[in-house]
Amino acid sequence: MNIAIVGIGLIGGSVAIRLRETKFADKIIGVDKNEVNQKKAIQLGLVDEIMNLDEAISQAKVIILTTPVDAILELAPYILNKVKDQVVIDMGSTKINILHKIDDHPNRGRYVAAHPMAGTEYSGPEAALPNLFKDKNMVYVDAFNSDEDAFELADSITDVLEMKSIFMNAEEHDMHTAYVSHISHLTSFALALTVLEKEKSQGRIFELAGSGFESTVRLAKSSPDMWTPIFKQNRENVLEVLKEHIKQLQNLHDKLEKEDYEGLYKLIKKSNKIKRIIK
Amino acid sequence: MNIAIVGIGLIGGSVAIRLRETKFADKIIGVDKNEVNQKKAIQLGLVDEIMNLDEAISQAKVIILTTPVDAILELAPYILNKVKDQVVIDMGSTKINILHKIDDHPNRGRYVAAHPMAGTEYSGPEAALPNLFKDKNMVYVDAFNSDEDAFELADSITDVLEMKSIFMNAEEHDMHTAYVSHISHLTSFALALTVLEKEKSQGRIFELAGSGFESTVRLAKSSPDMWTPIFKQNRENVLEVLKEHIKQLQNLHDKLEKEDYEGLYKLIKKSNKIKRIIK
């Protein structure tokens, strides 16, 4: 089976590695508008051949979309216009707008909306990893709108990636990812900006940075090309969680300002309940 | 040499493990007001004997303070009243208030203020680790106020812990730790509270939590007994950095609300400069 990967970066490249390791694909076709990434993808052996999108659509049985989400928004209807029995798998991080756009498309059944809950703060073909997806969740979004055979083929790729399948509708998905993924990136970006600003007047500030700081700030290395479109596509949910998060920070601030240490203690104790979730 | 450790938790216990491994201490004396911790410290072999504070002061050449910082504030003058040629090493996370309190003490020279920049989100004797400190920084604060021999003895323990030494004054130390350690804990506490709140109405929200979320929220498992006193002792610096951090988050929020995606992109790109610091 020929499989095309549109957007050969961290996610697309990591999918390609597994498709090759398991011999699931006979040929892996790479599509990327960035010529540097095209060359790297060939050099790193991630894909067998680089093609333009139309060639790739005509030759592939499966077309996997792993570009930034604003590009998926344009690619999805364009590709659906050209497919017959192929399967299009969208691995982007937001779903409502994209699925709304192809809702009435006659080929909607060939489209499988999936979101692999895996990643790192690095991007580009050289960031691809063989075990990025292992034991992580693949979220299928509005799976009931995909044709049975299209879903089954997508799910066999989920098996190849050694992922667990879970199911949600688009509204749940976009709201939940705002709370457990998108906000984490925003807090990291803001934390990096806070400390970089202070460094200007206090050169030695990073000498004291330990593993706690690194842990909370590492996502600030993430690509703006990937993340600006995610925030744009998931704007309402992200604004809601940002407001709530600022409120929680302001509450901690106010307790400290008023020297209400009992109140501060209680809030920290309450936040400790996250132990239940994160082992 | 007999060494007393006052407060046998993550830090005190980890120091004890190295003092024993390297045979630097002939006897390790544990002091802890918590009886459960006393028993655990003996069972885990962290200390040889449990004593009350006065006994420990009379028998030990070195007294290491690893309690929460509010307790150090009381312990420091009490212990200095009783020491002769012993050395007191304070390993707490804040310094201005404590050093101010013992500034004029006749035995001030026996006190070495140090802060090992190492830790985890876990607490108690069972959280102690053999290599917690390896290759991390030991920050000496106002080291010029310690007697030469007291400093040298403390520094030989820093060698035993395989740490690098750096030097700062108390004002620098408390401000820098607010920016690269204390704020990271506050963002994690706030993030945990934000998501736990949402979970009440959206039970499945944590199904989508991945490594990015875990990384930014893991510090929310940290003990309120340790952290409330740190925020109290470093209140002014922590309020400053909290204000700045909320401002940065509000700025990201406003760019998104106004749909200024170019502005949002630029902020994320700017935050990426953290790559220079965190490899």
Side-chain angles (χ1 to χ4, degrees):
Chain A
M1 188 188 318
N2 294 343
I3 299 187
I5 294 176
V6 185
I8 321 154
L10 167 68
I11 300 295
S14 300
V15 171
I17 291 173
R18 282 299 293 166
L19 291 176
R20 185 180 304 288
E21 275 180 356
T22 57
K23 300 188 168 62
F24 189 91
D26 297 312
K27 183 158 78 173
I28 303 173
I29 301 164
V31 180
D32 203 300
K33 65 173 188 175
N34 181 320
E35 280 183 30
V36 176
N37 283 355
Q38 289 177 8
K39 278 181 197 152
K40 281 188 199 158
I42 292 282
Q43 279 164 3
L44 293 166
L46 297 173
V47 302
D48 297 299
E49 219 175 307
I50 295 291
M51 291 186 189
N52 67 41
L53 183 58
D54 289 346
E55 279 179 297
I57 296 169
S58 71
Q59 290 203 24
K61 171 67 183 163
V62 180
I63 300 140
I64 301 177
L65 307 182
T66 49
T67 65
V69 289
D70 53 344
I72 295 180
L73 205 62
E74 305 307 317
L75 288 165
Y78 180 88
I79 296 173
L80 283 187
N81 287 341
K82 306 209 167 198
V83 299
K84 293 192 184 77
D85 65 343
Q86 293 112 300
V87 177
V88 184
I89 306 173
D90 151 15
M91 293 200 180
S93 298
T94 64
K95 299 299 185 199
I96 293 175
N97 289 352
I98 285 159
L99 294 181
H100 183 69
K101 199 157 178 178
I102 58 168
D103 211 16
D104 299 324
H105 197 287
N107 291 331
R108 171 63 182 92
R110 309 314 299 161
Y111 198 83
V112 180
H115 180 190
M117 299 309 298
T120 74
E121 64 273 36
Y122 304 105
S123 48
E126 66 277 24
L129 295 170
N131 289 316
L132 183 66
F133 303 109
K134 193 172 162 60
D135 300 328
K136 303 288 171 64
N137 285 323
M138 179 71 90
V139 188
Y140 291 110
V141 179
D142 291 356
F144 47 83
N145 283 329
S146 301
D147 294 343
E148 181 97 14
D149 71 297
F151 175 78
E152 290 303 329
L153 188 46
D155 204 39
S156 60
I157 292 177
T158 298
D159 286 341
V160 160
L161 301 179
E162 302 181 280
M163 302 185 82
K164 292 169 280 182
S165 304
I166 61 179
F167 297 84
M168 280 188 184
N169 67 42
E171 285 69 28
E172 280 179 304
H173 170 272
D174 282 16
M175 195 261 282
H176 290 199
T177 51
Y179 274 83
V180 294
S181 163
H182 305 171
I183 186 65
S184 289
H185 287 78
L186 286 163
T187 61
S188 269
F189 294 137
L191 189 55
L193 290 168
T194 304
V195 182
L196 287 165
E197 190 62 36
K198 191 68 177 178
E199 191 198 21
K200 289 181 191 164
S201 56
Q202 296 284 339
R204 300 178 63 198
I205 206 157
F206 289 109
E207 280 182 17
L208 300 200
S211 57
F213 179 72
E214 181 156 344
S215 168
T216 47
V217 87
R218 74 170 175 85
L219 296 178
K221 295 190 271 184
S222 303
S223 156
D225 296 309
M226 182 62 69
W227 282 94
T228 311
I230 289 174
F231 298 136
K232 181 176 177 179
Q233 295 307 321
N234 202 15
R235 180 169 166 272
E236 279 179 44
N237 287 311
V238 170
L239 284 175
E240 177 191 300
V241 61
L242 252 176
K243 259 180 215 136
E244 175 63 24
H245 182 61
I246 290 170
K247 206 177 88 185
Q248 295 288 354
L249 275 171
Q250 190 66 49
N251 193 16
L252 289 165
H253 172 277
D254 295 348
K255 292 272 184 295
L256 183 57
E257 189 162 59
K258 288 177 204 150
E259 307 205 54
D260 174 5
Y261 298 113
E262 206 187 311
L264 189 58
Y265 186 97
K266 278 185 189 160
L267 285 175
I268 296 174
K269 186 98 184 159
K270 195 172 164 192
S271 83
N272 284 172
K273 289 186 185 153
I274 204 74
K275 285 178 192 169
R276 184 167 51 76
I277 313 299
I278 301 203
K279 298 303 165 212
Chain B
M1 186 187 320
N2 295 343
I3 299 187
I5 296 177
V6 184
I8 320 154
L10 168 67
I11 300 295
S14 300
V15 170
I17 291 173
R18 282 298 293 166
L19 291 175
R20 184 180 306 287
E21 273 181 357
T22 58
K23 301 188 168 61
F24 189 90
D26 297 311
K27 183 158 79 173
I28 303 174
I29 301 163
V31 180
D32 204 298
K33 64 173 187 175
N34 180 320
E35 279 183 31
V36 176
N37 284 354
Q38 290 177 7
K39 277 181 198 151
K40 280 189 198 158
I42 291 282
Q43 279 165 2
L44 294 166
L46 296 174
V47 303
D48 298 299
E49 220 175 304
I50 295 291
M51 291 186 191
N52 68 40
L53 183 58
D54 290 346
E55 277 180 298
I57 296 169
S58 70
Q59 290 203 23
K61 170 66 182 163
V62 179
I63 299 139
I64 302 177
L65 308 181
T66 50
T67 64
V69 289
D70 53 343
I72 295 181
L73 205 62
E74 306 307 318
L75 288 166
Y78 179 87
I79 296 173
L80 282 187
N81 286 341
K82 306 210 167 197
V83 299
K84 294 193 184 78
D85 65 342
Q86 293 110 304
V87 177
V88 184
I89 307 174
D90 150 15
M91 292 198 181
S93 298
T94 63
K95 299 300 184 197
I96 292 175
N97 289 352
I98 284 159
L99 293 181
H100 183 68
K101 198 156 179 181
I102 58 168
D103 211 16
D104 299 325
H105 197 287
N107 291 331
R108 170 64 180 90
R110 310 315 299 162
Y111 198 84
V112 180
H115 181 189
M117 300 308 301
T120 74
E121 63 273 37
Y122 304 104
S123 47
E126 66 277 24
L129 295 170
N131 289 316
L132 183 66
F133 303 109
K134 194 173 162 58
D135 300 328
K136 304 288 171 64
N137 286 323
M138 179 69 90
V139 189
Y140 290 110
V141 179
D142 292 356
F144 47 83
N145 282 330
S146 300
D147 295 342
E148 182 96 15
D149 70 297
F151 175 79
E152 289 305 327
L153 187 46
D155 205 40
S156 61
I157 291 177
T158 298
D159 286 342
V160 160
L161 301 178
E162 302 183 281
M163 302 184 83
K164 294 170 279 184
S165 304
I166 61 177
F167 297 85
M168 279 188 184
N169 66 43
E171 285 69 29
E172 281 178 305
H173 170 273
D174 282 15
M175 196 260 282
H176 289 200
T177 51
Y179 274 83
V180 295
S181 164
H182 305 172
I183 186 66
S184 289
H185 287 77
L186 285 163
T187 60
S188 269
F189 294 136
L191 189 55
L193 291 168
T194 304
V195 183
L196 287 164
E197 190 61 37
K198 192 68 178 179
E199 191 199 22
K200 289 181 192 164
S201 57
Q202 295 284 338
R204 299 179 64 198
I205 204 157
F206 289 109
E207 279 182 17
L208 299 198
S211 56
F213 179 72
E214 180 156 346
S215 168
T216 48
V217 88
R218 75 170 174 86
L219 296 179
K221 294 188 272 183
S222 302
S223 155
D225 296 309
M226 182 61 69
W227 282 94
T228 311
I230 290 175
F231 299 137
K232 180 176 179 180
Q233 295 306 322
N234 202 15
R235 180 170 166 272
E236 280 180 43
N237 286 311
V238 170
L239 284 175
E240 179 192 299
V241 61
L242 252 176
K243 258 180 216 139
E244 176 63 26
H245 182 61
I246 290 170
K247 206 177 88 185
Q248 295 289 353
L249 275 171
Q250 191 66 48
N251 193 17
L252 289 165
H253 172 277
D254 294 349
K255 293 270 183 296
L256 184 57
E257 188 161 61
K258 288 177 205 151
E259 305 206 54
D260 175 6
Y261 297 113
E262 206 186 311
L264 189 58
Y265 185 98
K266 278 185 189 161
L267 285 175
I268 296 174
K269 186 97 183 162
K270 196 173 162 192
S271 83
N272 284 172
K273 287 185 186 155
I274 204 74
K275 285 178 192 168
R276 185 167 49 75
I277 313 300
I278 301 202
K279 298 302 163 213

